[in-house]
Amino acid sequence: MVRIVFVIPSFSGGGAERVMLTLIKHIDRKHVEPILIVMNDQGPLRSLIPSDITVYDLKTVRLRNGIYKLINKIRNLEPSVIISTFTHINVTLLALKPLISKPTKLIIREANTPSRSLKSTHSPNFFRFMCRHYYPKADVVLCSSALIENEMKEKFKVPTSKIFRLNNPIDIDNIRSFAPVPVNHKDFAKYFVAAGRLTHQKGFDRLLVDFAKTPRDFCLIILGEGPELKNLTKQIKSLDLQKRVFLEGFKENPWSIISGADAFLLPSRWEGMSNVSLEALACGVSVIATPEAGGIREILKFVPQGSLTIAPSGEHFVKALVKTKTTHIHENRPSLLPNDWDVVNVTKKFENIILNTI
């Protein structure tokens, strides 16, 4: 039995957390004993933890205040493998690897494109140095897109032998079971949905500017929580969008809302591979994304024609919205997501990577 410790900062509603929790849920218990360490046991995704998983809450908001607890807990658990997917935790674990039992393997997953994401940290130069110095020391580096793979090789000099492509695991059947009857907004000619943490990265501010240029009978629902909530609320008012743009917060089941949309919108300034966009495709909903939105454009050749549109923010994005076909459907559409992203296939590959690493 292989003991694996997963490390995440919290149960906030981000895609990286959801990916980790999905892998934990579906990994084969016959071969693997998954254990979860969380820095702070808070957030809406807490309910997704399977009942058979042991969770250790370090009860600290900041990593630097919980480093001793984290290393001590790992040493006590004596895992075969440690898995982390957040840059600040990745570099911390790699830097402190000498304090962990030597047989323990360290697998890191990079969820974003560091060339962009590190600029948003409080110390970009420091984290860039740490990534360049320590990422090559990982036993395995998991990448969700070719874009991230290339950055790992070219910017951080990670050996090709350590880099593995692992698609985001999407539980297609489960997602579709939560959306048997799509939610429609019949009072509007077209109905769009966007979702994600309300942060600068996600680009909802520029989406609002674009949406203000669409016909007044277009509706937009934005799902998610985050620090930009007040600013976005003010922006909606200043653009006179109160009657057709709605901030509806975090939803445990966003898929019934997404599945009724004419299109899902991804206006991100940077991404690794947008998890919620993949979920939208699994719901049978087409996606309109900006070129900067990471690896999503890489699946263009794998999805049906017209189901994924790449359009720069501004005039081209507005045109894509206007050209979107109206659906007003009352039942689920067939999934548009290729099976390479299905949770069963991804988890099997994940297990093989682990077993071949130890």
Side-chain angles (χ1 to χ4, degrees), residues 9 29 98 110 119 125 139 145 152 185 220 275 287 292-294 301 309 344:
R29 305 295 196 272
E110 184 53 63
K119 292 179 182 178
N125 291 334
D139 293 290
S145 69
M152 291 299 105
H185 286 254
L220 171 62
N275 207 58
V287 173
E292 308 96 305
K301 60 184 178 181
T309 300
V344 174

Side-chain angles (χ1 to χ4, degrees), residues 325-338:
K325 295 181 180 179
T326 304
T327 55
H328 289 315
I329 60 165
H330 301 284
E331 59 184 19
N332 273 335
R333 289 162 280 186
S335 172
L336 301 170
L337 186 67

Side-chain angles (χ1 to χ4, degrees), residues 253-306:
N253 173 21
W255 305 296
S256 60
I257 298 173
I258 292 173
S259 64
D262 295 310
F264 180 85
L265 309 182
L266 182 65
S268 300
R269 290 182 167 92
W270 71 86
E271 291 280 354
M273 176 64 79
S274 167
N275 207 58
V276 69
S277 294
L278 299 175
E279 293 174 345
L281 290 170
C283 290
V285 178
S286 62
V287 173
I288 302 173
T290 55
E292 308 96 305
I296 191 67
R297 67 188 305 166
E298 295 172 17
I299 71 171
L300 263 172
K301 60 184 178 181
F302 301 111
V303 298
Q305 186 175 1

Side-chain angles (χ1 to χ4, degrees), residues 309-347:
T309 300
I310 305 299
S313 179
E315 179 184 355
H316 293 285
F317 204 90
V318 174
K319 286 183 178 179
L321 297 178
V322 173
K323 289 181 179 180
T324 301
K325 295 181 180 179
T326 304
T327 55
H328 289 315
I329 60 165
H330 301 284
E331 59 184 19
N332 273 335
R333 289 162 280 186
S335 172
L336 301 170
L337 186 67
N339 284 330
D340 285 349
W341 280 265
D342 184 76
V343 65
V344 174
N345 297 323
V346 176
T347 305

